[in-house]
Amino acid sequence: MAKILFVMTGAAYWTLKNGHKHPTGYWSEEFAAPYSIFTGAGHQITVATPGAVIPTLDMMSLRPSMNNGEENALKLENVIREADELRSPISLKDVRLEDYDAVYYPGGHGPMEDLSTDAESGMLLRRALASGKPLAIVCHAPAALLATRDENNETPFANYRLTGFTNDEEAGVGFADEAKWLLEDELRKLPTDYSRGPTWQPYIVVDRNLYTGQNPASSTKLAEEVLKVL
């Protein structure tokens, strides 16, 4: 049995460039699909958030239109309802990386609000990358990599091959013109060797122990790749 740390946003909103606080949180599929895969294989999950805040679900992510129908949406809702780990997160500052065999960051717009500037998450990411343990990050969660920069604006993730939510996909959900910044742009400037697949289709990139997925549809494939090395 492996122990897997899910690092999740504690944000319940995302501040847009006009100052509007858009309700958000984590994206259901990006939690529920990997959670089901890992626990189904007998592995143990611990959830960590900034300040041990109980993570907020982005309710948009449970809409049938976002999940190819009501049946799939209900399946995700049931997984989330039964996942007790969501109700008892630990604080990021209390995480001991040596207690875990892998680290996973699900997305949603929430990480754009908090994890993109969270120093404790940034330190954990640097240590996880250096440890050689599988580090998986999906969709908007690569925003957390922005917090890995040091006082010289350097990051150990520089020039790693990776992916994340695309500008086209942000435009597709109506936020490209409203966001303060776009994830694809910031990842390219970090700099990373960013690549992408077709819009809304599963696409993952593996570079050494870093596993990244482009969008919600990539979360299942991403978890399956991590499962192979656990």
Side-chain angles (χ1 to χ4, degrees):
M1 178 190 73
K3 293 182 178 180
I4 306 169
L5 181 70
F6 276 39
V7 179
M8 301 182 65
T9 178
Y13 61 83
W14 176 34
T15 305
L16 303 178
K17 64 183 177 184
N18 65 359
H20 173 69
K21 296 185 184 302
H22 174 72
T24 188
Y26 70 91
W27 198 258
S28 60
E29 182 178 3
E30 296 168 33
F31 171 83
Y35 177 89
S36 297
I37 289 168
F38 292 141
T39 58
H43 302 310
Q44 179 181 326
I45 306 298
T46 297
V47 171
T49 64
V53 173
I54 294 176
T56 298
L57 172 65
D58 188 329
M59 296 307 295
M60 183 185 295
S61 69
L62 285 181
R63 291 180 182 175
S65 60
M66 294 286 185
N67 295 288
N68 295 316
E70 186 173 358
E71 182 179 353
N72 289 332
L74 287 173
K75 287 180 180 177
L76 295 176
E77 185 177 358
N78 287 335
V79 171
I80 289 167
R81 183 183 298 113
E82 294 174 5
D84 291 335
E85 296 90 342
L86 283 171
R87 263 76 69 185
S88 56
I90 65 172
S91 177
L92 272 176
K93 68 179 179 60
D94 295 328
V95 167
R96 288 164 36 94
L97 182 62
E98 56 268 30
D99 292 340
Y100 302 98
D101 302 290
V103 177
Y104 170 61
Y105 276 65
H109 281 111
M112 302 277 280
E113 183 72 23
D114 61 352
L115 297 182
S116 62
T117 58
D118 190 284
E120 289 165 349
S121 172
M123 179 61 71
L124 175 62
L125 284 166
R126 290 193 290 269
R127 292 175 56 222
L129 187 70
S131 74
K133 298 177 181 181
L135 171 59
I137 314 174
V138 73
C139 198
H140 285 93
L145 300 184
L146 303 182
T148 66
R149 294 173 291 193
D150 62 18
E151 61 274 9
N152 297 315
N153 214 35
E154 295 180 349
T155 172
F157 290 87
N159 302 315
Y160 265 75
R161 291 183 294 108
L162 53 70
T163 188
F165 205 65
T166 69
N167 291 352
D168 289 342
E169 288 166 329
E170 202 69 83
V173 293
F175 290 112
D177 293 332
E178 299 182 41
K180 291 180 180 179
W181 47 270
L182 298 177
L183 180 61
E184 178 182 337
D185 293 344
E186 294 304 309
L187 291 176
R188 291 183 184 278
K189 288 189 293 186
L190 195 55
T192 65
D193 183 2
Y194 176 93
S195 65
R196 52 162 294 175
T199 303
W200 306 122
Q201 298 302 306
Y203 180 75
I204 68 170
V205 175
V206 181
D207 187 351
R208 288 157 279 186
N209 63 315
L210 179 64
Y211 297 71
T212 52
Q214 177 176 310
N215 48 34
S218 306
S219 55
T220 292
K221 187 175 181 181
L222 189 69
E224 290 171 346
E225 285 299 307
V226 172
L227 194 63
K228 293 177 183 178
V229 298
L230 288 176

